[in-house]
Amino acid sequence: SGYLGLVAVVLLLSGCFGEQNLTALDPKGPQAQWIFDNMMLSLYIMAFVTLVVFAIFFYILAKFRREDGDNEYPKQVHGSTVLEITWTVIPILLLLVLFVPTIIGTFDFAESQAPDDVEDAVYIDVTGHQYWWQFDYEEGFTAGQEVYIPTGERVYFNLNAQDVIHSFWVPALGGKIDTVPGIDNTLWLEADEPGTYMGKCAELCGPSHALMDFKLIALEREDYDQWVEDMVAKADVEQPEDASVQAGYDVFQESCISCHAVSGPGSASGPTLTNFGDRKTIAGYLENTDEQLEAWIRNPDEFKQGNNMQPFPDMPDEEMDALIAYLRSLEVREEGDPE
Ligand code: CUA
């Protein structure tokens, strides 16, 4: 019955989240597979225990039921050493079967360094903020909200938080881990195939905790290397290359630059926007359209309660249009690039 229940849950959740890969029940990487296998193992053990207990229970109900004319008390028993040892030892053995791989896996997943024979391992610093994610790459640039990784290899994350405790979780790829101000936690993830994987903040961190979404985008290694190269180049650009977005750049310099960096590494108080035009979403969960972007800039609190962005309700339309055109120009990916 446990298994049927799980099947029902899988079907239900795959209907809801299948498209976004927001499920631990359809693993897309070795760590997630390991977690799934252990979850199934514990489920089989629980189903087995349930079956045995119920079998004994019904057997005893039937065998020792009161019969007609049976008016004597049955023999009174005060304990059985054999039984007590049995029902102590069996659970200990079952728990050991779960405990040993869990401990081994937990330490393996927290590994912060690639083995010595791996030369070009990817290391990414993750910082949780209310309510967005910052990803700093070793090559000297920063991405907000969407983290890119190569497929088929372990990518090592060093996780921290700016304000309160958050938790970094990409269910299809692996376990979650808290990001804690002042403490470095480590975790590696690996994606088997290219794709976009939904990520969530998994620690209650304020009114917009439930909206603190991010995406992990896995690319083939060569596409990833290209992306890194493009990001490095883009992060070097201060002035817009395209004169048509100069007006929007001026608005940005006046209204946005004190919180949002567009170049260089690190971040101001808001997400770095180096590749904002590539983002699939605004603020982690809103569709990245011009209308939505304008609505967001005019009143961010309507969409993400308690966020720190300043609203610009009265920005003139022509300034808004210019600003949006400038933000759209901040992209490194091209039409037809692998998703
Ligand atoms: Cu950040 Cu919940």
Side-chain angles (χ1 to χ4, degrees):
S1 67
Y3 185 72
L4 283 178
L6 185 80
V7 168
V9 169
V10 170
L11 290 175
L12 199 72
L13 292 182
S14 61
C16 297
F17 304 123
E19 211 179 320
Q20 298 184 312
N21 284 313
L22 188 65
T23 171
L25 302 178
D26 184 15
K28 303 287 192 190
Q31 191 190 115
Q33 185 66 51
W34 184 95
I35 291 172
F36 182 78
D37 291 345
N38 277 278
M39 190 171 70
M40 291 309 292
L41 175 66
S42 67
L43 201 75
Y44 288 134
I45 290 176
M46 287 187 283
F48 171 74
V49 170
T50 305
L51 280 176
V52 169
V53 168
F54 273 87
I56 295 173
F57 177 67
F58 285 113
Y59 170 75
I60 287 175
L61 273 189
K63 179 166 170 70
F64 297 102
R65 73 185 186 280
R66 188 177 168 190
E67 315 241 349
D68 282 344
D70 190 0
N71 293 324
E72 300 286 317
Y73 272 116
K75 185 179 154 205
Q76 300 297 293
V77 183
H78 298 278
S80 156
T81 309
V82 172
L83 267 181
E84 284 175 22
I85 288 175
T86 307
W87 70 49
T88 305
V89 169
I90 290 178
I92 287 175
L93 291 178
L94 292 179
L95 286 176
L96 274 177
V97 169
L98 297 174
F99 174 79
V100 172
T102 300
I103 292 299
I104 293 172
T106 302
F107 279 93
D108 178 28
F109 298 156
E111 193 56 66
S112 62
Q113 296 285 326
D116 290 339
D117 58 327
V118 177
E119 277 178 11
D120 53 357
V122 175
Y123 296 89
I124 301 171
D125 286 344
V126 177
T127 309
H129 300 257
Q130 284 171 317
Y131 302 95
W132 59 279
W133 296 92
Q134 175 184 342
F135 304 106
D136 293 299
Y137 286 73
E138 287 191 303
E139 290 81 359
F141 63 88
T142 298
Q145 306 287 44
E146 292 181 357
V147 58
Y148 286 72
I149 68 165
T151 54
E153 59 187 270
R154 291 185 176 192
V155 174
Y156 297 86
F157 296 94
N158 185 43
L159 305 103
N160 213 298
Q162 173 74 37
D163 34 41
V164 300
I165 300 174
H166 305 272
S167 187
F168 179 83
W169 191 28
V170 184
L173 297 187
K176 59 174 90 90
I177 189 158
D178 279 5
T179 68
V180 185
I183 293 178
D184 287 330
N185 278 338
T186 54
L187 170 84
W188 60 262
L189 292 176
E190 179 175 340
D192 291 335
E193 298 163 14
T196 298
Y197 304 92
M198 273 287 282
K200 276 269 175 197
C201 177
E203 176 65 52
L204 183 61
C205 56
S208 288
H209 152 72
L211 304 175
M212 194 171 156
D213 295 357
F214 62 99
K215 291 187 176 56
L216 183 147
I217 296 157
L219 300 175
E220 299 284 9
R221 182 70 199 213
E222 59 188 296
D223 299 325
Y224 171 78
D225 289 339
Q226 183 63 52
W227 179 81
V228 167
E229 203 177 297
D230 294 344
M231 283 297 282
V232 169
K234 195 76 178 174
D236 269 343
V237 176
E238 299 261 353
Q239 292 280 332
E241 299 143 306
D242 179 355
S244 70
V245 295
Q246 183 65 43
Y249 174 75
D250 294 340
V251 175
F252 188 87
Q253 290 296 101
E254 199 172 303
S255 302
C256 316
I257 196 76
S258 59
C259 297
H260 292 282
V262 284
S263 58
S267 178
S269 53
T272 300
L273 301 176
T274 308
N275 61 340
F276 177 82
D278 294 331
R279 293 245 200 101
K280 295 167 195 294
T281 51
I282 300 165
Y285 83 105
L286 300 165
E287 212 187 334
N288 193 355
T289 63
D290 290 354
E291 296 72 33
Q292 188 64 69
L293 182 53
E294 174 172 354
W296 166 260
I297 293 169
R298 290 202 186 281
N299 187 11
D301 214 51
E302 179 186 342
F303 304 100
K304 219 169 187 177
Q305 205 193 345
N307 84 85
N308 291 320
M309 177 156 154
Q310 180 193 337
F312 294 87
D314 304 320
M315 184 179 285
D317 282 344
E318 65 274 15
E319 282 186 23
M320 180 63 75
D321 292 346
L323 176 60
I324 289 173
Y326 170 65
L327 291 172
R328 288 266 168 265
S329 77
L330 299 171
E331 56 182 357
V332 305
R333 311 207 72 209
E334 285 158 20
E335 200 88 28
D337 274 358
E339 291 282 318

